[in-house]
Amino acid sequence: MSWRVVMISSNAKLDYKLDYLVVRTADEVKRIHLSEIGVLLVESTAVSLTAYLLCELTQRKIKVIFCDHKRDPMAELVPTCGSHDGSARLYRQMNWPRSLCEAVWTEILREKLRRQRNHLRRRGFPQAEMINGYLEQLQQNDATNREGLAAKVYFNALFGSGFTRADDTPLNAALNYGYSLLLSAINREISAAGYLNQLGIAHRNTFNPFNLGCDFIEPLRPLVDGAVLSMSPRQLGKEEKTALVQLLNKPVLYDGRNQYLLYALRLYCAGIFRALDGGGISQIKWIDYE
């Protein structure tokens, strides 16, 4: 089972040898067996990789995330086809009933609001009861936009009444970094399962190649919110980024069993796919990270 998140943060050459990722720097050579790796984060632009290594990483469904010169995630490696019966799955995906998509999306939002409410309660914020009110008012497909109203209350409670997600601040940079790592891990599971990420059940942005991942991530966002609030970042430096990367290795509960988050995401996505493929919302099980 893959479980390691490998970060390459300085000048290095990466290649493949006998089922190992070989990391060569000026000072040393390290080897990591590919079976252990779930995510490879290439944080530095002073890194070179062999095409053979990229092929092996893709074949083994290892998520590769590339960062820009500011060390912020900017791209990821996505296989053309992640499943042997990918064509059949794509046909099913394109024919998911609209009513079932709306039912699944409503449950995703319901769990997101629960997590936001619980997060505020744990920290002693009275606004948790306002979120609970929105949760009770949630309608099919969120026809009255309870999610949007809850988001304003939630973020203002956590980060202050003047906070907006559009601000260019270290706080928002940390949130965006954490969300992007979590989204990349979810994208890996969607591609590996043979589904098309561009086709979301609620997110339908023409310019977003990860609409489906953006649907699935919603109940997990409070995990990043809590980590960022606890670190109160004055900058998004190496220490803060490392802490956010390590969230992928966080112990969680899924279906009553202890898992690392990186593996629990695979089980979580599989449950949603079973629901959308005709099993109904009873197939969805949530990751308990509280």
Side-chain angles (χ1 to χ4, degrees):
M1 181 181 71
S2 58
W3 56 274
R4 297 182 67 170
V5 180
V6 178
M7 295 179 63
I8 309 297
S9 302
S10 59
N11 192 325
K13 179 178 179 181
L14 312 184
D15 56 34
Y16 169 86
K17 186 174 183 180
L18 299 175
D19 289 341
Y20 282 87
L21 165 66
V22 182
V23 183
R24 306 177 191 275
T25 66
D27 301 322
E28 61 181 342
V29 177
K30 291 184 178 180
R31 299 173 52 182
I32 306 170
H33 201 274
L34 294 186
S35 64
E36 298 179 3
I37 305 173
V39 176
L40 173 63
L41 177 61
V42 182
E43 195 180 37
S44 171
T45 55
V47 173
S48 62
L49 305 88
T50 64
Y52 197 101
L53 172 64
L54 291 177
C55 289
E56 288 291 330
L57 294 171
T58 303
Q59 185 175 7
R60 295 165 190 257
K61 301 177 182 178
I62 296 171
K63 172 59 65 177
V64 183
I65 305 172
F66 297 99
C67 295
D68 60 17
H69 62 286
K70 296 180 180 179
R71 298 180 181 267
D72 293 327
M74 68 170 298
E76 58 186 63
L77 186 62
V78 180
T80 303
C81 181
S83 175
H84 69 283
D85 60 345
S87 296
R89 298 189 183 210
L90 287 181
Y91 281 122
R92 289 205 302 269
Q93 182 179 3
M94 288 186 289
N95 289 286
W96 285 338
R98 190 71 233 151
S99 59
L100 184 53
C101 289
E102 290 182 357
V104 169
W105 177 239
T106 303
E107 291 307 302
I108 287 175
L109 291 185
R110 195 183 311 281
E111 183 64 14
K112 178 182 181 180
L113 293 181
R114 283 196 200 104
R115 296 296 181 178
Q116 289 180 334
R117 178 200 63 192
N118 293 348
H119 186 195
L120 293 184
R121 280 179 176 173
R122 288 197 310 276
R123 294 183 179 271
F125 289 107
Q127 292 91 332
E129 300 317 307
M130 292 183 66
I131 303 291
N132 193 56
Y134 294 137
L135 178 59
E136 293 174 350
Q137 298 163 12
L138 185 65
Q139 299 179 12
Q140 180 79 351
N141 207 36
D142 194 19
T144 56
N145 192 30
R146 299 297 97 177
E147 180 198 16
L149 295 173
K152 180 175 177 59
V153 172
Y154 173 75
F155 280 112
N156 286 348
L158 286 181
F159 304 120
S161 59
F163 174 83
T164 66
R165 285 287 288 126
D167 292 341
D168 184 11
T169 63
L171 191 59
N172 270 319
L175 289 171
N176 292 337
Y177 188 85
Y179 294 153
S180 66
L181 292 174
L182 198 54
L183 179 62
S184 290
I186 291 172
N187 292 342
R188 176 185 79 154
E189 302 308 330
I190 291 172
S191 297
Y195 294 90
L196 195 62
N197 219 326
Q198 287 91 334
L199 300 180
I201 59 175
H203 288 83
R204 294 174 174 239
N205 189 327
T206 302
F207 306 104
N208 182 5
F210 306 121
N211 283 312
L212 193 57
C214 289
D215 291 331
F216 289 8
I217 195 178
E218 293 299 342
L220 298 161
R221 289 184 184 273
L223 174 62
V224 174
D225 303 335
V228 171
L229 181 62
S230 296
M231 69 174 61
S232 300
R234 295 184 179 180
Q235 63 174 353
L236 183 59
K238 182 176 180 179
E239 182 178 343
E240 290 79 13
K241 289 181 177 179
T242 300
L244 291 169
V245 169
Q246 289 308 312
L247 288 177
L248 296 175
N249 289 330
K250 178 182 175 64
V252 298
L253 279 176
Y254 181 84
D255 198 17
R257 296 184 178 182
N258 294 312
Q259 307 284 359
Y260 289 109
L261 178 61
L262 196 59
Y263 185 69
L265 290 173
R266 179 175 305 176
L267 305 176
Y268 164 67
C269 291
I272 298 181
F273 288 133
R274 287 194 299 272
L276 290 166
D277 285 337
I281 59 175
S282 63
Q283 295 294 319
I284 305 174
K285 293 180 172 59
W286 308 107
I287 298 173
D288 186 359
Y289 53 81
E290 295 176 349

